[in-house]
Amino acid sequence: MHRPRKEMIAETRAKLIAAARHAFGTIGYAEASMDDFTASAGLTRGALYHHFGDKKGLLQAVIAEIDGEMAARVDEVASRAPTRWQHFVDECTTYIEMALEPEIQRIMFRDGPAVLGDPAQWQNANACTASMTDHLTALQRDGVVVPDLDPETAARLINGASSQAAQRIANSEDPEATSKKAIAAFKQLLEGLRKQS
Amino acid sequence: MHRPRKEMIAETRAKLIAAARHAFGTIGYAEASMDDFTASAGLTRGALYHHFGDKKGLLQAVIAEIDGEMAARVDEVASRAPTRWQHFVDECTTYIEMALEPEIQRIMFRDGPAVLGDPAQWQNANACTASMTDHLTALQRDGVVVPDLDPETAARLINGASSQAAQRIANSEDPEATSKKAIAAFKQLLEGLRKQS
DNA sequence: CCTATTAACATACGCCTCGTATGCCAATTG
DNA sequence: CAATTGGCATACGAGGCGTATGTTAATAGG
């Protein structure tokens, strides 16, 4: 049988990623001891180094996984919306909602950039921005968005604003109220991209 | 004489901050060995722990210093502008320009948040956002900016977009061209805040 | 079917870094 | 001038990380 072997390996990788994701997302990358979270997965650092090279490599794998999940979710939600513009706005607000998860904030917005550098340079972890860029391009073609605008650049700026919005909500005393204010301010900024009719 | 003593102490603090700032800004917080950069200042970790408690405390001090410098610069540049709105826009673009410094990006936007958490929660390091919040409030009062908007929230979102713009420019192959695109996109977003006349 | 090789891990070792406890010296204070 | 405090260095112990080295089980070739 070929399968059991392959499956065991895949399972090992998955267990390591899951354990690391949990550790990174709660206590943070720097505080997460490789000995500890590999042990919590019933393994040792030997497996980690074999599969991912080093701690950074494992972080990359975790980030790739999260990025994939986020992109899938954004894609799903945004697909049902009456207009393209609404589609785009929904995409952004969904992104903010997801960014409320402490795990995502910690890994994708704080530890990730600190350890791996500018997120824009990450390989296998740009699905969300790519999607937003595509939609902005389409909106521009349709004349909904102002023409003199680089879509990818705009998508990045919006990403920055989104993550700040999410952080503000997440750290708020009254998340409900803060959410309203943050989403409102965010949508207001987006209005700047629209061509006035 | 009281002075020499006090001066020596202040000088020690300053040397530690300067050495740490350089180390953090180049190789990064995690890679910066306390033994190394204290030695480069002619001191030991003993002085560091005495004055700043721990590595995080020193990072806070470094951040406070940089924040002060940034706020002073923003204040200076923005003070000469014909209109209040222009004043505000200049403030933002100056902020982006400053954020191009690798040292500032690394310390203020990457390592700082990873180690100390959400910048919005930082004490003694919110001068820039505070200033932008004030100006937004004034603009709102004057009817230049849309009324239904929380100034501080908006300031934070703009901050997020600014830092992304700066990162994009800094990591670009052609900074000159990217700068034009990023600043343009940024200003376009800001237009969303204006009340249409 | 048997052997050789490789791959998937675990173990063991040394280095570096950090935090704390302790010690020393100079400067202030009365 | 003595006592005390504060500024800083030294010394020690504990982890954490990376690498080098096993060990075992699965595959491949004859």
Side-chain angles (χ1 to χ4, degrees), chain B residues 1-189:
Chain B
M1 280 215 277
H2 281 222
R3 272 298 152 77
R5 174 74 163 176
K6 296 281 181 197
E7 280 174 12
M8 288 302 290
I9 296 170
E11 192 183 329
T12 296
R13 283 183 60 98
K15 281 198 284 193
L16 283 174
I17 292 178
R21 178 171 174 170
H22 181 254
F24 294 165
T26 49
I27 60 177
Y29 177 87
E31 303 303 317
S33 158
M34 297 163 80
D35 277 324
D36 287 352
F37 69 73
T38 52
S40 82
L43 297 161
T44 69
R45 281 183 308 141
L48 191 159
Y49 279 101
H50 183 74
H51 285 290
F52 301 99
D54 60 357
K55 204 179 179 185
K56 283 188 183 182
L58 181 51
L59 177 60
Q60 285 184 0
V62 168
I63 284 179
E65 182 181 277
I66 296 178
D67 183 67
E69 291 175 12
M70 291 179 76
R73 176 133 176 69
V74 159
D75 228 47
E76 177 215 335
V77 171
S79 62
R80 42 171 187 278
T83 68
R84 234 194 242 285
W85 174 258
Q86 191 60 43
H87 186 119
F88 173 68
V89 174
D90 285 359
E91 197 171 14
C92 294
T93 50
T94 303
Y95 188 82
I96 293 178
E97 277 169 26
M98 288 188 300
L100 289 175
E101 302 283 342
E103 187 184 63
I104 290 182
Q105 285 206 18
R106 181 96 212 198
I107 297 175
M108 302 298 277
F109 300 140
R110 284 166 46 185
D111 291 348
V115 176
L116 303 177
D118 183 8
Q121 315 287 328
W122 295 351
Q123 316 300 28
N124 34 321
N126 283 321
C128 287
T129 306
S131 168
M132 282 180 48
T133 303
D134 289 348
H135 288 129
L136 272 175
T137 306
L139 284 164
Q140 214 168 28
R141 174 169 41 72
D142 294 356
V144 179
V145 157
V146 294
D148 303 320
L149 188 75
D150 183 56
E152 194 179 340
T153 300
R156 289 283 170 203
L157 301 196
I158 292 167
N159 244 296
S162 301
S163 72
Q164 287 304 110
Q167 277 198 47
R168 194 162 172 76
I169 298 168
N171 294 322
S172 165
E173 309 256 329
D174 182 355
E176 208 56 45
T178 306
S179 178
K180 282 209 175 87
K181 286 194 278 191
I183 298 273
F186 181 76
K187 286 186 176 173
Q188 199 64 48
L189 278 174

Side-chain angles (χ1 to χ4, degrees), chain A residues 1-2 5 30 32-36 45 49 54-55:
Chain A
M1 280 213 275
H2 282 223
R5 173 75 163 174
S33 157
M34 297 163 78
D35 278 323
D36 287 352
R45 282 183 307 141
Y49 280 102
D54 60 358
K55 205 179 179 184

